Amino acid sequence: MYKKITLAFILFLTFFGQVQAKNSDIISNKDISNIITMHANQLLQDSRFVSTSIGVVTETDSVILHFGELTRHKKNTPTDNTIYEIGSVSKTMTGLITAYAVKGGKLSLNDNINKYINNKLDKLSTEKNPVTVRQLLTHSSGLPRGYVDLGLRAETLSKTSFLKALNNVNPSENKGKYHYSSAGIELLSYILETVYQMPFDNLLQQVLSTEANMKDTKVNLAQEQLKDVAYGYNEKGEVAKAHLTPEILWGGSGYIKTNMSDIVKYMKLQLKEENKAIKESHRRLFHVGGTDHIAYSWIAAEDENLGCYYIHHGGLEGTQNWMIIFPDRNIAVSIVTNNSFPEAAGLMRKTGMAIIKNLK
């Protein structure tokens, strides 16, 4: 009898100790806030930054904090509703819609793009040497970076002129190599629009609203959202251009706008790898070099201490941001500023990764 009680007591203590250890690993909301605040204040010691918004998602919590002022000397700190242009982080959202299309049987990654579009690009993508959906997703199609590289000007840009210019491209020089192409993601946005028979912006809103209850994320903002837009500063410290007129192309490569409230919802969705489309969107499709791969527009990388993560940067004339996702650790960070200068991206990435290392 004594031995049975002793054994049971030992098992209880062992279990209790494991529970205590597990609970001690869970970082509190207050600790998360302190970590964010410490690193945000360090970032803002660089006077070129005027503000930053940082969102963190962990297994048990999410925290959004804002620092600085959107307009110099106005003391107008950002809020959860402040609308930011997220630049090329938009590409991950286009990639996610593509993953849903693949899992839904609407697209196949290795098919010739002409299978899915009305205006066949027969010179660009031939039967013998096709451009594929996979190549558009992974920047390996050989297409140029943007519409300027296609010989187009903003004043004469249209969807028709864009597609016509694409069909005159010979992609052979860079095809099969990593060659970053926003033009390729715009073409993919057009393909998604054609496949779903729905304007790309509407499709974006439908998917994100349904999957993550994101109500404020759009290419073209509603009139009532314009009052919340964060106008940014360029490298000269001047107020930069904001892209608020209706997008001429589709916008899936870099012109989506959103707020930190929706960004946190998006990061929570990205951590749900039990969702088949999310898991698919994280699948490595193209090896860039070293441990870096391209998934569905995400850069998939490895940290020697933290393991696998997915990351993307976005930058426009007056805004910079990073999104960093660690699915295996249930941690995600987004850091946004309404400043854009050459060193901003590196400083912000360092800040985002430092926050994650303090959370682990």
Side-chain angles (χ1 to χ4, degrees), residues 92-110 133-134 137-138 196 266 269-286 293-300 310 327:
T92 71
M93 297 181 179
T94 304
L96 178 59
I97 298 171
T98 308
Y100 276 104
V102 169
K103 297 307 289 184
K106 290 183 173 293
L107 281 177
S108 177
L109 292 181
N110 295 321
V133 175
R134 180 190 296 264
L137 270 174
T138 58
Y196 281 96
Y266 183 63
L269 177 63
Q270 288 294 326
L271 292 175
K272 294 179 180 177
E273 287 200 320
E274 65 274 15
N275 180 316
K276 292 181 180 179
I278 296 296
K279 187 71 173 177
E280 175 67 18
S281 74
H282 293 170
R283 184 160 65 92
R284 289 159 169 74
L285 302 176
F286 184 85
H293 292 74
I294 305 295
Y296 279 63
S297 291
W298 285 105
I299 298 169
Y310 301 87

Side-chain angles (χ1 to χ4, degrees), residues 39-296:
H39 289 291
N41 287 336
Q42 289 175 357
L43 184 71
L44 291 180
Q45 286 178 7
D46 188 322
S47 61
R48 291 174 294 181
F49 290 106
V50 296
S51 73
T52 186
S53 295
I54 300 175
V56 169
V57 175
T58 67
E59 185 175 4
T60 58
D61 219 334
S62 63
V63 176
I64 302 172
L65 293 176
H66 308 277
F67 305 87
E69 51 190 3
L70 289 169
T71 310
R72 293 187 189 278
H73 314 302
K74 293 291 186 181
K75 297 182 179 180
N76 53 342
T77 303
T79 72
D80 290 4
N81 295 320
T82 298
I83 297 287
Y84 292 102
E85 297 183 79
I86 61 170
S88 287
V89 172
S90 304
K91 292 178 172 69
T92 71
M93 297 181 179
T94 304
L96 178 59
I97 298 171
T98 308
Y100 276 104
V102 169
K103 297 307 289 184
K106 290 183 173 293
L107 281 177
S108 177
L109 292 181
N110 295 321
D111 278 343
N112 187 326
I113 57 171
N114 283 323
K115 180 177 178 180
Y116 302 109
I117 58 180
N118 297 324
N119 299 316
K120 305 297 183 189
L121 304 178
D122 292 327
K123 287 194 251 179
L124 171 69
S125 183
T126 65
E127 288 187 16
K128 290 184 178 180
N129 190 23
V131 172
T132 66
V133 175
R134 180 190 296 264
Q135 290 170 342
L136 296 181
L137 270 174
T138 58
H139 304 287
S140 59
S141 65
L143 293 182
R145 187 178 182 92
Y147 71 82
V148 173
D149 304 288
L150 289 168
L152 300 172
R153 294 180 296 117
E155 297 80 9
T156 57
L157 181 65
S158 68
K159 291 177 179 177
T160 299
S161 67
F162 176 75
L163 293 171
K164 183 177 179 180
L166 278 181
N167 204 32
N168 289 321
V169 169
N170 180 356
S172 57
E173 181 181 351
N174 293 306
K175 196 170 185 183
K177 307 173 188 175
Y178 178 74
H179 183 72
Y180 191 82
S181 175
S182 291
I185 301 298
E186 282 299 306
L187 179 55
L188 179 59
S189 304
Y190 167 57
I191 288 170
L192 291 168
E193 180 173 286
T194 304
V195 166
Y196 281 96
Q197 292 295 292
M198 182 186 301
F200 176 79
D201 199 8
N202 291 9
L203 176 61
L204 171 79
Q205 292 173 52
Q206 178 177 293
V207 170
L208 296 181
S209 175
T210 301
E211 298 299 323
N213 196 32
M214 295 167 64
K215 305 293 187 182
D216 297 316
T217 303
K218 302 171 183 176
V219 174
N220 299 307
L221 295 174
Q223 186 66 34
E224 62 268 19
Q225 291 179 293
L226 296 179
K227 69 182 187 307
D228 294 319
V229 169
Y231 290 87
Y233 294 90
N234 63 23
E235 60 183 294
K236 296 179 180 179
E238 302 165 339
V239 176
K241 173 186 176 182
H243 302 85
L244 301 180
T245 55
E247 183 60 24
I248 295 172
L249 300 180
W250 297 269
S253 68
Y255 295 101
I256 295 172
K257 295 93 177 169
T258 190
N259 55 33
M260 285 304 297
S261 178
D262 266 15
I263 285 173
V264 162
K265 293 175 184 176
Y266 183 63
M267 291 194 295
K268 287 180 177 179
L269 177 63
Q270 288 294 326
L271 292 175
K272 294 179 180 177
E273 287 200 320
E274 65 274 15
N275 180 316
K276 292 181 180 179
I278 296 296
K279 187 71 173 177
E280 175 67 18
S281 74
H282 293 170
R283 184 160 65 92
R284 289 159 169 74
L285 302 176
F286 184 85
H287 181 225
V288 179
T291 63
D292 289 355
H293 292 74
I294 305 295
Y296 279 63

